[in-house]
Amino acid sequence: MLSTLPSLDDRRLEPILEKVQAGERLRFEDGLTLYRSSDLLAIGWLANLARERKSGNVTWFNVNRHINPTNVCVAACKLCAFGRQVRDPKAYTMSLEEVWSTAGAGYTEAVSEFHIVGGLHPELTLDWYCRMLRGLKERYPEVHLKAFTMVEVGYLARRARISVEETLQRLKEAGVDSLPGGGAEIFIERVRRIICDHKVSGEEWLQIARAAHRLGLRSNATMLYGHIETDEDRVDHLLKLRQLQDQTGGFQTFIPLAFHPANTPLQHISPTTGFADIKSIAISRLLLDNFPHIKAYWIMMTPKIAQVAQRFGADDLDGTVVEEKIYHDAGATTAQSLRRSELLRLIRQAGREPVERDTLYRPVSRNEATFTVLV
Ligand code: V47
């Protein structure tokens, strides 16, 4: 039997409560009402209902490693503290051997996923990235390669003067198993022109995701919030993702990403609050009714907020990560990695049942040195 919501401080939420309880889809105006409400407990209660309908009591996590082969980036986005111009003293580009050895370094438990993203390097070719992927597959055949944002794919296609479809096909043949959700930021062009002027447009991001899904590649999706965007821009972003998901079914997980202003040209903007972060998780769970998973990325939210988010709509905490650069260059004070045992503790102490997964959400069983996918 469903438990009943003890109280509703904000009466504007009543119609939304009825829709969510009846399993009805929320509309643009509902999204705005949710963003404009401060009744976090009611919003969270609703999001938890939606979350438990999809995932029951399970919270997923994985054992993964981030690899950022280069921070050299032609884009110079105002939102970013990671990218560097070629001649910047802090610019770096790994050799292929360095990428392959980084992949194996620094962690004793076998990882099931490499999450590979980097800057838009003006000289690294599609062929170089394909050799990188083949080398990783040769050395770590069991590890899933979740690599390249839609923005990187668009840039590689443009530089190679071939279509996005052909680029994705080549990356897939070389070893890409799925794509991460980065680079989506906020789709509305007015905002994109200010925070990430040189990236693919919002429409192009969605088209590249569509092309990836058509090739059978799953992907994630993100939204960067807490900068200059309005509530309308956020709802628009979420509903565009929901619409594409209706058509392709290729998205696995949505990850709301809080803007970290330190060391960026937008550092005058105040960082998001815990309240806004939790509300973002909850509203995305409510609006994205066709996304299987909502991730509370602990690196971005802090482990403490990510833990609480499991009761406000999130059913995934991401992974061990190992050596995160993008958020730490932008002033994140969280650790750069969490051990598997710490993830288990964060999940169990929230009263959830931890299930280790591979990137495609198949449960994994493991001993210290290796893992087995169970289905
Ligand atoms: O695309 C960059 C964001 C993203 C900043 O798919 C910033 O499983 C905040 O997409 N403050 C990269 N955000 C991270 C990402 C991601 C992370 C975890 C899991 C997955 C997944 C994807 O980080 C970028 C951009 O939106 N970003 N700079 C900044 N200063």
Side-chain angles (χ1 to χ4, degrees):
M1 205 178 76
L2 291 177
S3 54
T4 39
L5 175 63
S7 75
L8 203 58
D9 291 341
D10 183 349
R11 309 308 308 178
R12 291 174 305 170
L13 296 178
E14 254 164 36
I16 298 177
L17 169 74
E18 279 166 26
K19 283 190 196 174
V20 174
Q21 283 186 312
E24 269 176 48
R25 179 161 270 197
L26 300 183
R27 302 164 70 91
F28 190 92
E29 293 303 323
D30 298 322
L32 276 188
T33 305
L34 287 165
Y35 271 118
R36 288 173 184 168
S37 172
S38 299
D39 195 350
L40 183 60
L41 287 183
I43 297 171
W45 186 90
L46 290 173
N48 192 50
L49 182 65
R51 178 245 199 254
E52 290 186 356
R53 277 183 190 148
K54 284 196 186 282
S55 305
N57 201 36
V58 164
T59 295
W60 302 92
F61 71 99
N62 71 350
V63 175
N64 63 352
R65 185 188 224 293
H66 283 207
I67 306 172
N68 307 119
T70 180
N71 64 354
V72 171
C73 191
V74 296
C77 296
K78 288 202 175 55
L79 67 89
C80 183
F82 171 71
R84 304 272 164 190
Q85 301 298 309
V86 186
R87 267 176 266 284
D88 189 304
K90 289 192 180 147
Y92 74 84
T93 300
M94 295 180 187
S95 65
L96 288 174
E97 286 69 22
E98 278 172 310
V99 174
W100 298 328
S101 63
T102 301
Y107 205 67
T108 52
E109 288 171 324
V111 299
S112 62
E113 169 189 283
F114 293 138
H115 175 145
I116 309 167
V117 292
L120 307 180
H121 195 293
E123 275 143 33
L124 295 181
T125 60
L126 179 58
D127 183 55
W128 186 89
Y129 282 106
C130 288
R131 275 188 284 143
M132 177 190 90
L133 294 162
R134 289 203 177 89
L136 286 170
K137 278 288 178 201
E138 262 166 45
R139 288 163 181 80
Y140 312 97
E142 254 114 71
V143 180
H144 180 110
L145 302 184
K146 184 177 80 179
F148 310 121
T149 64
M150 309 307 161
V151 175
E152 291 170 274
V153 172
Y155 181 69
L156 285 173
R158 193 150 63 83
R159 287 207 48 239
R161 295 173 195 270
I162 57 173
S163 67
V164 160
E165 287 75 11
E166 170 82 24
T167 306
L168 284 163
Q169 186 63 43
R170 289 204 201 166
L171 291 171
K172 188 179 174 194
E173 280 161 16
V176 163
D177 295 301
S178 72
L179 284 83
E185 322 310 0
I186 284 279
F187 292 139
I188 287 271
E189 285 309 310
R190 173 183 52 76
V191 172
R192 250 182 137 71
R193 267 202 300 278
I194 297 167
I195 65 166
C196 57
D197 196 14
H198 295 98
K199 276 188 181 164
V200 293
S201 69
E203 191 46 42
E204 283 167 321
W205 191 99
L206 291 160
Q207 289 305 338
I208 298 170
R210 183 192 296 280
H213 298 170
R214 217 183 283 128
L215 275 182
L217 291 166
R218 294 308 198 89
S219 82
N220 292 338
T222 56
M223 173 177 78
L224 187 73
Y225 65 92
H227 41 90
I228 57 162
E229 84 290 0
T230 62
D231 292 339
E232 284 85 351
D233 298 338
R234 293 179 196 161
V235 178
D236 171 82
H237 186 96
L238 294 171
L239 295 199
K240 281 182 177 144
L241 287 173
R242 186 172 80 180
Q243 189 182 24
L244 181 58
Q245 177 74 335
D246 276 343
Q247 294 162 9
T248 68
F251 289 117
Q252 301 203 105
T253 310
F254 176 75
I255 311 125
L257 295 171
F259 177 54
H260 281 45
N263 308 320
T264 77
L266 299 175
Q267 58 191 342
H268 55 281
I269 294 176
S270 304
T272 63
T273 58
F275 197 90
D277 292 341
I278 292 276
K279 218 169 101 176
S280 271
I281 286 279
I283 296 174
S284 50
R285 177 63 290 165
L286 289 167
L287 290 185
L288 296 177
D289 54 17
N290 53 4
F291 270 63
H293 306 287
I294 303 290
K295 187 185 284 187
Y297 182 41
W298 64 264
I299 288 264
M300 175 275 281
M301 304 191 101
T302 74
K304 286 182 186 196
I305 298 277
Q307 183 187 36
V308 174
Q310 294 176 84
R311 293 263 155 203
F312 286 76
D315 70 334
D316 190 337
L317 291 192
D318 200 74
T320 47
V321 179
V322 188
E323 231 197 336
E324 200 283 335
K325 291 196 172 74
I326 297 173
Y327 272 83
H328 287 84
D329 284 355
T333 52
T334 47
Q336 290 210 336
S337 96
L338 274 186
R339 300 198 70 82
R340 187 174 170 279
S341 55
E342 291 171 74
L343 283 165
L344 289 172
R345 193 168 71 93
L346 288 176
I347 296 171
R348 289 203 178 109
Q349 287 198 359
R352 298 298 192 193
E353 179 197 340
V355 178
E356 183 175 344
R357 61 170 176 85
D358 70 355
T359 313
L360 302 175
Y361 287 83
R362 294 173 301 189
V364 154
S365 108
R366 73 161 56 237
N367 59 35
E368 276 302 292
T370 181
F371 65 88
T372 318
V373 177
L374 291 174
V375 283

